[in-house]
Amino acid sequence: MSRIDPETLLQNKGVRPTALRLLILETIARQSEPVALLDLEAKLGTVDRSTIFRTVTLFLAHHVLHGFEDGSGSLKYELCDNACSCSVEDMHTHFFCEACHRTFCMRTTHVPQVALPDGFVQHSVNYVVKGLCADCRRRAERRGEPVD
Ligand SMILES: [Zn+2]
Ligand SMILES: [Zn+2]
Ligand SMILES: [Zn+2]
């Protein structure tokens, strides 16, 4: 993630940087992988759940975060890059590990563009590869479990 300071980041995106918003933003920025709302609530133990939800909704509206479905059943959130408009053109693919349920960003692989028939409009796209991450694959191999 870019090292722009969180306060400037929020101001640039038109969000007033309150202490709580900064705390939530910094918590998300510290994660190496996209987070679900539940993960965020667990990491922000003392912060009221509805406040977290409202802040995430605000961040989504201002392209501070974007959300996507990774097939785990809950939406995952990640910080937008500087110029992200959260359009399909800005989206990269993700890898969901079926063993540890972590989601990894495949930032260098853009989601494929699908040629839609006349009159169709796309609003979102989820492109998720599922399988085992390197850690879980090694663990499975050590236990002699099948990895494919
Ligand atoms: Zn975005
Ligand atoms: Zn894994
Ligand atoms: Zn990602």
Side-chain angles (χ1 to χ4, degrees), residues 6 8 24 26 28 38 40 47 50 65-66 71 76 79 81 95 98 100 114 117-118 141 147-148:
T8 312
I24 293 175
E26 279 162 2
I28 296 170
L38 274 175
L40 203 53
V47 184
S50 61
L65 296 179
H66 53 240
K76 295 275 172 81
L79 284 190
D81 292 334
F95 183 96
E98 292 168 321
C100 65
V114 178
D118 260 1
E141 278 176 344
V147 293
D148 50 12

Side-chain angles (χ1 to χ4, degrees), residues 33-116:
E33 290 121 26
V35 286
L37 204 56
L38 274 175
D39 306 330
L40 203 53
E41 287 171 4
K43 289 179 203 305
L44 289 163
T46 56
V47 184
D48 177 58
R49 290 173 60 180
S50 61
T51 307
I52 299 174
F53 181 74
R54 262 186 286 117
T55 306
V56 165
T57 307
L58 179 81
F59 284 175
L60 286 172
H62 287 264
H63 303 307
V64 176
L65 296 179
H66 53 240
F68 58 91
E69 291 160 36
D70 63 5
S72 66
S74 48
L75 223 54
K76 295 275 172 81
Y77 301 99
E78 65 184 357
L79 284 190
C80 292
D81 292 334
N82 275 341
C84 185
S85 63
C86 304
S87 64
V88 172
E89 288 71 27
D90 285 330
M91 294 295 157
H92 53 255
T93 60
H94 289 97
F95 183 96
F96 179 70
C97 175
E98 292 168 321
C100 65
H101 296 169
R102 283 186 295 170
T103 300
F104 300 85
C105 295
M106 306 287 118
R107 290 190 185 279
T108 53
T109 309
H110 214 273
V111 300
Q113 291 293 310
V114 178
L116 297 172

